[in-house]
Amino acid sequence: MNPELKQRLTASETWRRGLFIVIFAVIYSIAEVVLVAVVVFQFLATLFTGETNARLRAFALSLAAFIYQIVAYVTFNSDEKPFPFGPWPESRSLLPPVLSSPSSD
């Protein structure tokens, strides 16, 4: 066996990353369910009250950033581990601004 290949196959850092990828794949699946619940609740809140829930919007924005961080990590586009191994993303410093109120289309 090629010594370089053997070294890569036995590198503990790569296997550790693989373990974190599996962990974050499970967390991602849970985050998807939470995202669907947020979307449904926000839709119902808008339907019945005529306006969105600002705290839920802020949470949804940070959840979207969290999901982005997971995808970036598992695709090797980032070496920073997302929450719970890093800080939870703050909604204020992320993504473009959201609407202040729903449009009346």
Side-chain angles (χ1 to χ4, degrees):
M1 179 183 291
N2 183 340
E4 289 180 26
L5 177 59
K6 185 176 181 178
Q7 183 181 14
R8 285 193 301 266
L9 289 175
T10 58
S12 64
E13 182 179 316
T14 305
W15 288 104
R16 191 175 311 118
R17 175 95 179 212
L19 175 63
F20 280 114
I21 287 172
V22 170
I23 291 169
F24 282 118
V26 171
I27 293 172
Y28 177 84
S29 298
I30 295 167
E32 281 185 315
V33 172
V34 173
L35 178 63
V36 169
V38 167
V39 168
V40 168
F41 185 79
Q42 190 70 282
F43 176 76
L44 292 174
T46 304
L47 189 64
F48 290 113
T49 67
E51 52 188 50
T52 60
N53 183 309
R55 285 190 282 182
L56 191 57
R57 273 194 352 229
F59 173 71
L61 189 57
S62 65
L63 180 62
F66 173 61
I67 291 171
Y68 172 79
Q69 288 175 348
I70 291 174
V71 171
Y73 182 78
V74 301
T75 59
F76 289 80
N77 286 298
S78 173
D79 288 330
E80 293 185 36
K81 294 179 194 76
F83 181 83
F85 302 99
W88 180 262
E90 295 182 26
S91 62
R92 292 181 206 146
S93 62
L94 307 169
L95 305 174
V98 294
L99 298 173
S100 57
S101 62
S103 61
S104 56
D105 292 338

